[in-house]
Amino acid sequence: MAEEFTILIDGRPAPARPGETILTVLRRQEVETPTLCTHQHLTPAKTCRACVVELKGSRPLVASCERKVEPGMEVRTDSERVQNARRGVFELLLSQNDVSTAPGLVSQAEALGADPDRYRGQRYDRGFFDDNKLYVRDFDKCILCYRCVEACGPDVQNTFALTVAGRGFTAGISAGFDETLVESACVFCGNCVEVCPTGALMDRREHSMREQGRWDESRQDIVQTTCGYCGVGCQLDMHVDRERNEIVKVTSPDQHPITLGFLCVKGRYGYSFVEAEDEPAGAAKQV
Amino acid sequence: MAMHEAVLLRRRGAEQRNLKAYVASGGLAALAKARAIGPEETVRILTDSGLVGRGGAAFPAGRKWESVRTAKDPIRYVVLNTDESEPGTFKDRVMIESDPFMVLEGLLIACYAVSATGAYIYVRGEYGRVADLLQQSLRELQQAGHLEGIEPQGRPLRVEIRRGGGAYICGEETALFRSIEGYRGEPMAKPPFPTVAGLFRKPTVVNNVETIANVPDIIAFGAKALRSRGTERSPGTKLFSVSGHVARPDTYEVPFGTPLSELLQMAGGEADLQAVLMGGAAGTFVFPKDFDLALSYEGVAERHTTLGSGAVIAFNRQTNLWQVAERLGRFFAHESCGQCVPCRVGTRRQHEMLATLAAGRGQGDERGLLLRLSQVMTDASICGLGQTAATAVRSLMDAESAGLLAH
Ligand SMILES: Cc1cc2nc3c(=O)[nH]c(=O)nc-3n(C[C@H](O)[C@H](O)[C@H](O)COP(=O)(O)O)c2cc1C
Ligand code: SF4
Ligand code: SF4
Ligand code: SF4
Ligand code: FES
């Protein structure tokens, strides 16, 4: 293991190890840092710019989630420049996006004192897609964090169904040539849904329950089990609506050594058999 | 008005533009000399000449070459950036159309000096004639055997011409690499820099056409050749694309240090100008009180402007510069790759505000908001596009406060 060294964070020395990012050091030092696009199991996309810091010797601010530490680095997070840039990122997003299912984004914006009405202008109007039975896509909520692209691509799923299409303000997530998901290469693992930070991608079940005002996480229990479809041994967390005694969502813990939170279509969406009526004992088989 | 001797453009308008004529006028002597003195000495001469990149960032060319020459990885590339998409910029096209062989000789010297295993020429999509001319000239060089003995493993050097698809961002070096590799043209984070991990993540020299066009003379005549013109800190000559409200819009070659006013006179239009936009869309507006500025890297820095891509766009007093700013704003919003929030949303918001102001329908707070937004874009964007998308607007607001605008 390579030698630990020291970097300066807001003038205070902090231990750092080769290969880790500035953000890792910031978190270890408990320096509050807003983030949107970075994800513990995905390659840093460095696209949201919420996590920028001032780095001595660099003219522009740098993304702390992406930049690796080097001995002697001097980082500032408390300057007006940094605060202004971070606030600006959130104010710009709030000026275009529907953030109704992105509480993390909203709370970070509030913590920075971002003014949601700072910028006027055209908001996103890029459509709601309900083209398959398992999950819906509401791109007015998409902040183009690239997490879904990376999860579908080389970081997790290697299916490469998703890409970014278009440029500038019109850039958006596309399943290749604007195909429906069913026509696309998608295998419905739901790993893009799992990593989406804004609810732009959402299980269809959750979406329709929200529409009906029935989605209430405080009413859900988590029941752990191991997926029985194959021998890999993925842990499943069944989210059970306590009052209706029905499974409403399946996830896997993001620190589980086998899944890291990622599943396949069977584990994530193939649960309705649990609630199927038992066959009456001794019933004659219909041929 | 002084007449300046054409150096880079000396073969402009020549009757014959074939390899034979090029060689007859002294061409390919530099490549032969490079082969005789070896890569290390070749790079040393380039470094001594003080040549800096003409693509906008003014990075010393010799330093770039030296880090690739001494890289550990045996696979290296040289990329000729012929994307030239900055508004008002056309000097690389004129350079190639005037003297394709000088540019290609420079490219071959670069490949030889860094032991490149392959080279790419990335040509702006709209530059069909330029691509054809390069292809034709390259074929002549190849048929005459000049691509042999450059590639370190003894294979003939492969020089591939790639055409852009109509995106300004693909002129940014890392987006350009992605585009050649077959991906979306999206800038990557730096570091790592191209000299360490460039095209296909291999050590790469990427240079602008004009930078490379300077190489043959420097190698043939020595570092002093470049230093015999220009200023101490900006040796050599510079190509400027002059356009707009001047009588003779064209590409002009002048020694560094020439006053802007003289360049404007050469183009036939200093009298009624309100301002010029220096350096392209990412540059700044310069007003007559500063027309005496010296066109050198130190000269423009002193007046807080830039040479940028070498674009000089002139505007007369009838022009409403807010309308010009609106057009620039539209350009950036259209050309943003869309990857990062400050630029994707910021260039859009900036354009919306500029459109309001240009139409005279401002609500009073646009200028303050533009200033605030410009800081966010400049500080937090990933690449040079977002970082400079507000530069011209900021300079316009400064000029407005100083009472310099005609409207
Ligand atoms: C948005 C953007 C567009 C660019 N377009 C070009 C271009 O069209 N041609 C070019 O030579 N350099 C362009 N550059 C600069 C290149 O990234 C790079 O610095 C240059 O090609 C290096 O060559 P040089 O050192 O010879 O100048 C652009 C940079 C940015 C940020
Ligand atoms: S469900 Fe899986 S395969 Fe389909 S787009 Fe999402 S990550 Fe890709
Ligand atoms: S759909 Fe979700 S995960 Fe994908 S880019 Fe948009 S916000 Fe990110
Ligand atoms: S600054 Fe603009 S062009 Fe550059 S990476 Fe960001 S969105 Fe793309
Ligand atoms: S969290 Fe670092 S750029 Fe998005």
Side-chain angles (χ1 to χ4, degrees):
Chain A
M1 178 114 185
E3 288 285 304
E4 215 174 71
F5 52 84
T6 302
I7 68 173
L8 283 183
I9 308 239
D10 296 326
R12 290 184 304 276
R17 295 179 205 116
E20 61 187 14
T21 62
I22 296 175
L23 181 64
T24 308
V25 179
L26 291 175
R27 292 208 163 134
R28 198 185 304 122
Q29 298 299 116
E30 295 176 1
V31 178
E32 200 67 47
T33 311
T35 60
L36 292 169
C37 66
T38 194
H39 182 282
Q40 56 182 337
H41 300 313
L42 302 175
T43 312
K46 44 83 179 145
T47 56
C48 77
R49 320 306 282 175
C51 68
V52 288
V53 296
E54 226 175 300
L55 175 64
K56 193 170 179 191
S58 167
R59 194 174 37 82
L61 304 177
V62 304
S64 62
C65 66
E66 189 269 341
R67 189 61 172 264
K68 298 272 200 303
V69 289
E70 287 163 43
M73 268 185 169
E74 294 180 31
V75 172
R76 292 222 81 91
T77 71
D78 58 359
S79 68
E80 187 46 40
R81 240 182 112 203
V82 169
Q83 295 305 312
N84 178 57
R86 290 176 175 178
R87 209 179 296 124
V89 162
F90 282 88
E91 287 173 345
L92 287 168
L93 285 174
L94 291 169
S95 78
Q96 71 169 12
N97 279 90
D98 171 354
V99 292
S100 58
T101 52
L105 191 159
V106 173
S107 63
Q108 295 188 85
E110 278 167 4
L112 285 162
D115 174 358
D117 301 320
R118 175 90 60 201
Y119 297 105
R120 301 179 288 272
Q122 190 186 334
R123 298 185 70 84
Y124 269 166
D125 179 18
R126 41 184 43 191
F128 175 77
F129 297 87
D130 184 5
D131 59 9
N132 68 85
K133 292 186 173 165
L134 300 179
Y135 69 94
V136 298
R137 300 176 290 160
D138 184 349
F139 289 129
D140 293 353
K141 295 176 177 171
C142 172
I143 56 167
L144 215 65
C145 69
Y146 285 60
R147 281 188 184 183
C148 55
V149 178
E150 298 191 333
C152 189
D155 282 0
V156 180
Q157 186 61 26
N158 283 298
T159 294
F160 301 95
L162 300 181
T163 185
V164 175
R167 44 158 76 179
F169 196 73
T170 62
I173 301 296
S174 161
F177 305 107
D178 283 338
E179 286 176 321
T180 64
L181 274 178
V182 180
E183 290 168 304
S184 79
C186 173
V187 297
F188 294 98
C189 63
N191 288 327
C192 53
V193 179
E194 169 64 31
V195 296
C196 180
T198 60
L201 307 178
M202 189 179 279
D203 288 348
R204 203 154 175 268
R205 184 74 177 262
E206 176 176 343
H207 173 73
S208 55
M209 287 180 72
R210 281 179 187 271
E211 291 287 286
Q212 296 156 11
R214 293 201 288 124
W215 185 261
D216 179 357
E217 282 170 22
S218 69
R219 278 196 345 210
Q220 294 166 10
D221 292 322
I222 291 196
V223 179
Q224 278 186 5
T225 184
T226 301
C227 182
Y229 276 114
C230 79
V232 167
C234 299
Q235 179 181 324
L236 302 182
D237 284 352
M238 321 299 282
H239 300 237
V240 179
D241 185 303
R242 204 178 299 131
E243 276 157 43
R244 302 165 64 99
N245 195 28
E246 89 188 357
I247 301 169
V248 292
K249 183 180 189 154
V250 178
T251 58
S252 185
D254 59 13
Q255 295 306 335
H256 188 267
I258 293 170
T259 69
L260 299 174
F262 301 113
L263 292 169
C264 78
V265 60
K266 291 176 284 183
R268 193 181 300 278
Y269 293 121
Y271 55 79
S272 54
F273 72 94
V274 176
E275 284 152 11
E277 300 254 336
D278 284 338
E279 248 176 294
K285 281 237 158 71
Q286 297 280 326
V287 189
Chain B
M1 181 170 55
M3 278 300 291
H4 298 292
E5 183 196 355
V7 182
L8 296 173
L9 293 181
R10 63 179 176 270
R11 293 189 185 86
R12 191 179 191 183
E15 265 165 43
Q16 298 216 354
R17 231 196 283 99
N18 54 33
L19 184 55
K20 210 164 133 230
Y22 182 65
V23 173
S25 61
L28 292 186
L31 180 58
K33 181 172 171 195
R35 289 177 194 265
I37 60 178
E40 188 174 350
E41 181 65 8
T42 302
V43 178
R44 198 187 55 74
I45 297 175
L46 190 73
T47 307
D48 289 351
S49 77
L51 179 68
V52 302
R54 308 290 197 237
F59 189 84
R63 274 223 324 261
K64 229 183 234 187
W65 289 27
E66 182 64 4
S67 31
V68 175
R69 187 186 75 78
T70 55
K72 286 210 177 61
D73 202 315
I75 313 251
R76 303 101 187 263
Y77 296 103
V78 173
V79 176
L80 183 64
N81 190 342
T82 318
D83 194 54
E84 190 161 68
S85 306
E86 188 77 33
T89 310
F90 39 84
K91 47 108 187 160
D92 291 345
R93 175 178 60 75
V94 170
M95 182 67 234
I96 291 172
E97 288 176 351
S98 307
D99 203 347
F101 289 105
M102 184 143 88
V103 175
L104 290 174
E105 185 180 4
L107 180 66
L108 295 184
I109 294 170
C111 290
Y112 174 76
V114 304
S115 305
T117 42
Y120 288 82
I121 306 180
Y122 191 91
V123 184
R124 173 181 174 144
E126 292 86 340
Y127 278 6
R129 247 186 1 200
V130 170
D132 290 348
L133 185 58
L134 287 169
Q135 193 73 69
Q136 166 61 28
S137 310
L138 206 55
R139 202 173 304 126
E140 286 186 55
L141 283 166
Q142 183 203 353
Q143 279 162 1
H146 296 294
L147 303 195
E148 309 282 334
I150 291 176
E151 203 268 351
Q153 268 130 55
R155 290 178 290 235
L157 182 73
R158 263 182 73 129
V159 183
E160 275 192 47
I161 296 182
R162 291 294 177 90
R163 300 280 298 276
Y168 168 63
I169 193 57
C170 288
E172 194 280 339
E173 52 199 18
T174 60
L176 189 156
F177 299 152
R178 297 296 284 169
S179 176
I180 291 177
E181 291 164 8
Y183 297 99
R184 264 174 76 79
E186 288 178 347
M188 296 182 282
K190 289 186 270 190
F193 290 96
T195 49
V196 176
L199 183 61
F200 300 110
R201 302 263 110 185
K202 296 295 178 187
T204 303
V205 165
V206 49
N207 273 135
N208 172 259
V209 169
E210 186 187 346
T211 316
I212 286 291
N214 271 285
V215 169
D217 281 356
I218 293 171
I219 301 305
F221 307 121
K224 284 204 294 287
L226 193 73
R227 294 196 177 276
S228 68
R229 296 183 181 83
T231 69
E232 169 75 32
R233 284 165 59 203
S234 307
T237 62
K238 177 81 194 83
L239 303 180
F240 288 96
S241 313
V242 186
S243 65
H245 296 133
V246 290
R248 292 181 295 278
D250 201 350
T251 300
Y252 292 90
E253 180 175 12
V254 296
F256 277 107
T258 303
L260 172 60
S261 55
E262 192 181 320
L263 178 68
L264 292 171
Q265 275 167 34
M266 289 165 73
E270 214 217 326
D272 185 40
L273 291 187
Q274 179 181 184
V276 301
L277 181 60
M278 281 290 297
T284 73
F285 288 99
V286 171
F287 291 82
K289 70 175 175 59
D290 284 316
F291 280 1
D292 62 329
L293 71 79
L295 295 168
S296 61
Y297 294 108
E298 62 279 15
V300 291
E302 210 174 87
R303 305 289 175 97
H304 308 289
T305 182
T306 172
L307 293 179
S309 64
V312 176
I313 311 177
F315 298 102
N316 64 19
R317 296 191 58 78
Q318 282 73 57
T319 313
N320 180 343
L321 294 182
W322 281 106
Q323 283 168 4
V324 176
E326 185 275 332
R327 189 64 193 82
L328 296 176
R330 176 146 40 111
F331 170 78
F332 282 114
H334 181 64
E335 297 298 346
S336 160
C337 82
Q339 199 183 178
C340 65
V341 174
C343 172
R344 177 178 75 242
V345 197
T347 55
R348 174 75 182 213
R349 295 290 170 256
Q350 173 173 267
H351 177 236
E352 288 166 342
M353 285 189 265
L354 290 170
T356 312
L357 287 174
R361 286 201 305 268
Q363 297 180 22
D365 60 347
E366 282 84 2
R367 286 171 178 77
L369 274 176
L370 279 170
L371 198 63
R372 188 182 182 108
L373 176 59
S374 79
Q375 202 57 50
V376 177
M377 289 198 283
T378 308
D379 279 343
S381 294
I382 293 177
C383 84
L385 191 151
Q387 288 162 11
T388 59
T391 312
V393 176
R394 234 174 2 219
S395 79
L396 188 61
M397 287 195 286
D398 288 347
E400 189 180 56
S401 315
L404 297 174
L405 303 195
H407 293 265

